[in-house]
Amino acid sequence: MTTSEQATATKPATAPLSCARAIGRYLSRLAGDCGDAVPLFREQQNPQWQLSAGGSWMGGFWSGCWWLQAHLSGRAADRARALSICRQLAAKLHQDTQFRSMIFWYATAPGIALFNHPSCRELATAAARTLAQSFNEQQSFYPLGSALGGGPNGPRTLNVDAFAALLRLLQYGDENTRDSARRHARSVTQHLLADDGNFYANASIDSSGAHPLGRAGQWARGNSWGLLGLASAARLWDSQYRDLAERHCDLWWQCHGQDFPPSQQDADPALPDPSATLIAAIAMYKLDAGDSHWRKRANRLLQQLLDSPFFTRNTSSDEARFLGCSFRGTTGGETLGETVWGYFFLLQALLIAGGAIDPDTI
């Protein structure tokens, strides 16, 4: 953000849909600057976004942003942009990566739920079908895969990032595919979920068993990805996962409900990750069963983010930005800035809080 932009950045009006529209104005300008490329991330001290022609693993979030904007704005141009990005992503259907579930779930789910778009349904079905071919029957899990950073160990790696997206996208497959989603969920909870409520980001699985890598809870957003997956499993298979999801969301709340967790537990200095709080809030919205307990907690987390320096609103343009995503920057170290997935989850949370979508829409 430039000096002039910082001078006019103020605390937001807290009306959720007003904030969502302000984000939409910023994304519209960003889309004009990016052309056909997908914006991935922007480091806080760098004025330029990192772009990708193919979208990497984040392209689905860019399409998803425009489906959400189309729902809010009613503009045909926003729907057309969402669909164009969605179709552009079809080239990634056969890449060897679990992140296909993120790409195609977030690109298609809002188009199906909010617009009943047949092209989105067809693409979701095709993605579920192709993903199912990578299921490891013997070990009962979907491996990370070798593409998009998975590397040579990817085919033996159980990863937490796409937990929620994978479970949901596989529901567009046949009965065997849907059963594989249940089996994968059991493997995640068995091998990646520690007794203290924290998640391991990865485990290596071979004939000798599963071997968690690193330390549970080391990576804040890994914990949040895990919570989102548990909440999604609770939505799909209530009796089997609701108590587990509520227990671990409650443990997260007790540890981090009053402040943003550090991105890496052992880092010095510690860098906060507000996006981890945002994803945890989405998980809590999904647990809302009508008694408003979890919704109240999610609303508090969302308000905490909106009141923080990581969310800014420009008084001249009435554009809003979210600079609270921690990620590995171009120099290799952890940094804060903007990401396309951060905008997607913030729009999702704002539309839920504003009553524009149901927590289970996506």
Side-chain angles (χ1 to χ4, degrees):
M1 189 162 41
T2 66
T3 302
S4 61
E5 286 174 325
Q6 287 176 327
T8 56
T10 62
K11 292 296 182 184
T14 54
L17 299 187
S18 173
C19 292
R21 292 186 181 96
I23 290 171
R25 282 185 280 274
Y26 171 61
L27 294 182
S28 292
R29 182 162 62 84
L30 177 60
D33 294 340
C34 294
D36 293 332
V38 174
L40 303 181
F41 60 83
R42 185 186 74 85
E43 296 170 76
Q44 195 164 6
Q45 304 306 318
N46 189 336
Q48 300 299 320
W49 275 77
Q50 185 79 21
L51 306 181
S52 168
S56 186
W57 62 270
M58 307 182 210
F61 292 107
W62 187 229
S63 178
C65 280
W66 290 103
W67 286 122
L68 293 180
Q69 277 300 307
H71 180 64
L72 189 61
S73 71
R75 290 191 295 263
D78 291 343
R79 292 197 302 276
R81 176 173 282 144
L83 185 60
S84 175
I85 299 165
C86 199
R87 287 171 170 164
Q88 177 183 342
L89 297 171
K92 292 187 177 293
L93 269 175
H94 298 285
Q95 287 196 343
D96 178 28
T97 175
Q98 182 186 237
F99 291 135
R100 281 177 293 177
S101 58
M102 278 184 160
I103 294 169
F104 294 109
W105 173 249
Y106 292 108
T108 64
I112 295 168
L114 300 175
F115 297 96
N116 196 27
H117 203 290
S119 293
C120 289
R121 191 174 295 277
E122 290 169 9
L123 186 55
T125 301
R129 184 171 57 249
T130 55
L131 266 167
Q133 297 169 15
S134 67
F135 185 63
N136 184 320
E137 284 281 352
Q138 185 175 5
Q139 305 293 344
S140 290
F141 80 107
Y142 278 91
L144 178 61
S146 60
L148 295 182
N153 293 322
R156 298 184 296 277
T157 300
L158 174 65
N159 174 267
V160 76
D161 300 32
F163 184 17
L166 187 60
L167 299 188
R168 299 298 300 271
L169 184 62
L170 291 173
Q171 302 311 303
Y172 285 92
D174 60 20
E175 183 177 354
N176 287 338
T177 301
R178 295 191 296 274
D179 181 65
S180 73
R182 282 182 177 265
R183 293 170 64 186
H184 180 80
R186 285 196 294 269
S187 292
V188 170
T189 56
Q190 181 179 354
H191 302 312
L192 296 183
L193 182 56
D195 291 340
D196 63 0
N198 289 310
F199 279 85
Y200 295 94
N202 297 288
S204 177
I205 298 182
D206 55 31
S207 58
S208 66
H211 312 281
L213 305 175
R215 182 164 65 86
Q218 171 65 26
W219 181 42
R221 198 160 61 254
N223 273 339
S224 296
W225 287 132
L227 295 180
L228 185 60
L230 288 180
S232 297
R235 282 282 189 166
L236 290 169
W237 311 297
D238 185 275
S239 60
Q240 187 176 359
Y241 284 96
R242 176 161 290 276
D243 287 348
L244 185 66
E246 290 191 345
R247 181 164 68 252
H248 288 282
C249 279
D250 192 56
L251 287 170
W252 187 95
W253 174 264
Q254 292 172 31
C255 291
H256 307 299
Q258 305 306 313
D259 204 357
F260 302 125
S263 177
Q264 300 287 340
Q265 290 292 337
D266 297 334
D268 184 23
L271 188 72
D273 189 357
S275 72
T277 292
L278 175 60
I279 295 170
I282 298 290
M284 292 179 195
Y285 277 127
K286 288 183 177 295
L287 292 178
D288 178 33
D291 58 4
S292 77
H293 167 67
W294 287 110
R295 180 175 285 266
K296 285 179 179 177
R297 287 188 173 183
N299 283 342
R300 281 183 57 184
L301 294 177
L302 178 59
Q303 190 62 54
Q304 176 183 318
L305 189 151
L306 296 177
D307 288 340
S308 77
F310 302 105
F311 182 85
T312 62
R313 196 158 174 175
N314 188 298
T315 55
S316 299
S317 63
D318 198 22
E319 295 177 355
R321 293 189 177 191
F322 174 44
L323 297 100
C325 297
S326 173
F327 55 90
R328 191 170 297 280
T330 54
T331 59
E334 287 284 310
T335 188
L336 281 170
E338 303 174 75
T339 68
V340 65
W341 49 263
Y343 280 113
F344 175 84
F345 285 122
L346 183 52
L347 283 172
Q348 183 184 5
L350 290 168
L351 266 62
I352 292 170
I357 62 173
D358 183 88
D360 203 37
T361 296
I362 304 159

